[in-house]
């Protein structure tokens, strides 16, 4: 059963996991909390633009979560509920190095047999974000969109190890890829992040964004690169979803301005950093639930101040 019918063309479509997470960090723990890569990224993107989400849930997925997604302008026509099925479930923990997620358990459940069928209103999407999920499903979505302006993908170690060939095919077909530094090294076998980035660009995406957790992010765009700082937070409650909210802020911003120039991509990296920095302040989506557009604008300005050190014409060296 799909959620409802929407005939308005969707500008931004996101596919990826929609799940329930058990997470433990030095600051506390949650069980069966709203999670999933598509969920985090769609919520982050929804602060900039309407979103259509493609995924699957089981009977156990609470209606209150669907109501929350709906309240954020997230269209659910591409979400299928499998009666008698169980929702994707991830369990993990973080030690004091909050950059490293330790997976305890991944239950694909209804995602194991999922065949995404895009509603007609999604096929003409201009912006497509293939959030973290089986790359075979990412390819199935890519095969159904007609002529997107920009395709972006994310992934994780689980798929680099388990579905490498499909992942390389996804990479060969997208414009932009997101990866964290460890995943880029794992995929390419290169110790140097710059070499790893070049190797991934050779596979396909001319733009690559390497997330470095609490150390910011690097944007490689053709031969140029741009380095974004991270926000100096005093305490991080739960890093889960940092990468996804980063990607959601990035693609949501790009779709909202409908421009893919290098300048926009740089701004989008900062918008992604802003969204990730808020997301980690609380567990699950709790911080994003009470986030306001004014807070986003204020933190974006703080990022500008943080990264600014000299106008080119003032440089005396
Ligand atoms: P991140 O932004 O990398 O912290 O992503 C965290 C989210 O990824 C969690 O909410 C999980 O539900 C989801 N997740 C964990 N493992 C996988 C996987 N193998 N495939 C898709 N999503 C996953």
């Amino acid at each position: 059963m799909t959620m409802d019918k929407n005939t308005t063309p969707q500008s931004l479509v996101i596919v990826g996991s929609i799940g329930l997470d058990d997470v433990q960090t030095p600051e506390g723990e949650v069980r069966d909390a709203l999670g999933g890569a598509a969920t985090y990224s769609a919520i982050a993107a929804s602060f900039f633009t309407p979103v259509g989400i493609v995924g699957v849930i089981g009977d156990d997925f609470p209606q209150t979560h669907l109501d929350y997604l709906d309240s954020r302008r997230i269209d659910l026509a591409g979400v299928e509920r499998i009666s008698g099925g169980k929702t994707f479930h991830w369990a993990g923990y973080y030690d004091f190095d909050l950059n490293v997620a330790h997976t305890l358990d991944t239950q694909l459940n209804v995602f194991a047999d999922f065949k995404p069928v895009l509603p007609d209103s999604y096929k003409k999407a201009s912006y497509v974000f293939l959030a973290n999920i089986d790359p075979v499903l990412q390819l199935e979505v890519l095969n159904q969109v007609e002529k997107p302006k920009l395709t972006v993908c994310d992934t994780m170690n689980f798929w680099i190890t388990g579905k490498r060939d499909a992942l390389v095919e996804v990479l060969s077909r997208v414009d932009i890829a997101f990866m964290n530094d460890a995943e880029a090294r794992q995929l390419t076998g290169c110790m140097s992040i710059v070499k790893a980035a070049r190797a991934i660009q050779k596979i396909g995406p001319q733009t690559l964004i390497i997330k470095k957790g609490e150390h910011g992010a690097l944007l490689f765009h053709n031969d140029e690169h741009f380095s974004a700082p991270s926000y100096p937070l005093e305490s991080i409650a739960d890093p889960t979803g940092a990468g996804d909210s980063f990607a959601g802020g990035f693609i949501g911003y790009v779709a909202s301005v409908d421009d893919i120039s290098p300048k926009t991509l740089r701004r989008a990296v900062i918008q992604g950093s802003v969204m990730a920095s808020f997301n980690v302040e609380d567990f699950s989506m709790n911080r994003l639930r009470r986030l306001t557009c004014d807070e986003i604008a204020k933190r974006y300005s703080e990022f500008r101040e943080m990264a600014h050190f000299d106008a080119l014409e003032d440089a005396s060296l």
Side-chain angles (χ1 to χ4, degrees):
M1 184 191 80
T2 51
M3 296 291 114
D4 59 30
K5 293 260 176 289
N6 178 5
T7 49
T8 317
Q10 205 63 54
S11 156
L12 171 60
V13 166
I14 296 180
V15 61
S17 55
I18 302 172
L20 299 172
D21 292 345
D22 295 345
V23 178
Q24 200 175 359
T25 82
E27 296 292 317
E29 66 180 300
V30 285
R31 287 196 169 272
D32 284 329
L34 177 59
T39 324
Y40 276 108
S41 48
I43 290 170
S46 73
F47 284 88
F48 301 92
T49 192
V51 187
I53 190 171
V54 177
V56 64
I57 53 176
D59 283 335
D60 53 345
F61 194 79
Q63 182 61 37
T64 47
H65 293 339
L66 292 173
D67 294 342
Y68 167 54
L69 295 172
D70 186 52
S71 75
R72 290 244 31 108
R73 304 190 289 177
I74 296 171
D75 185 78
L76 301 172
V79 176
E80 200 179 332
R81 193 197 275 277
I82 305 289
S83 103
K86 279 191 78 180
T87 300
F88 173 87
H89 191 271
W90 178 75
Y93 71 94
Y94 300 82
D95 284 327
F96 280 91
D97 182 355
L98 293 166
N99 287 322
V100 184
H102 302 277
T103 294
L104 292 170
D105 189 31
T106 304
Q107 297 288 334
L108 294 176
N109 294 331
V110 287
F111 266 103
D113 300 314
F114 180 51
K115 290 265 168 276
V117 178
L118 263 57
D120 285 344
S121 55
Y122 289 24
K123 291 183 183 160
K124 293 193 180 348
S126 300
Y127 297 91
V128 179
F129 177 45
L130 310 169
N132 183 22
I133 195 57
D134 187 334
V136 172
L137 297 182
Q138 294 179 320
L139 283 171
E140 284 175 14
V141 168
L142 217 43
N143 288 340
Q144 292 174 59
V145 283
E146 287 166 10
K147 224 173 158 208
K149 279 189 197 163
L150 192 76
T151 52
V152 182
C153 79
D154 193 5
T155 193
M156 74 180 291
N157 51 9
F158 187 86
W159 304 113
I160 296 174
T161 312
K163 294 276 177 91
R164 195 189 175 85
D165 290 349
L167 176 62
V168 168
E169 193 181 339
V170 172
L171 288 169
S172 74
R173 292 179 53 185
V174 293
D175 303 304
I176 302 184
F178 284 97
M179 232 167 267
N180 71 33
D181 42 2
E183 289 157 357
R185 289 191 177 104
Q186 184 190 355
L187 179 71
T188 60
C190 298
M191 284 291 286
S192 148
I193 279 301
V194 178
K195 280 193 181 149
R198 299 289 174 238
I200 296 167
Q201 281 177 314
K202 274 203 186 120
I203 301 174
Q206 281 320 290
T207 306
L208 182 71
I209 292 159
I210 304 275
K211 301 166 288 181
K212 298 188 296 160
E214 59 183 335
H215 306 297
L218 289 171
L219 166 75
F220 293 87
H221 179 66
N222 298 324
D223 291 333
E224 295 169 21
H225 69 269
F226 169 66
S227 176
S230 69
Y231 190 77
L233 285 171
E234 267 187 40
S235 68
I236 296 177
D238 175 13
T240 312
D244 307 315
S245 47
F246 180 102
F250 177 94
I251 191 68
Y253 174 73
V254 172
S256 73
V257 294
D258 193 16
D259 174 58
I260 52 175
S261 66
K263 200 172 182 179
T264 294
L265 298 186
R266 287 180 180 216
R267 287 183 177 145
V269 169
I270 301 299
Q271 297 289 13
S273 307
V274 166
M275 297 311 290
S277 73
F278 280 118
N279 180 62
V280 301
E281 289 179 3
D282 204 342
F283 282 82
S284 181
M285 322 276 159
N286 295 343
R287 184 64 178 96
L288 297 185
R289 280 177 197 267
R290 48 178 204 273
L291 185 62
T292 64
C293 291
D294 284 349
E295 287 177 305
I296 296 173
K298 182 164 176 278
R299 194 163 286 182
Y300 184 87
S301 301
E302 289 178 63
F303 264 92
R304 184 184 283 128
E305 286 301 313
M306 255 171 14
H308 175 91
F309 66 97
D310 212 352
L312 276 181
E313 59 271 22
D314 297 340
S316 53
L317 287 179

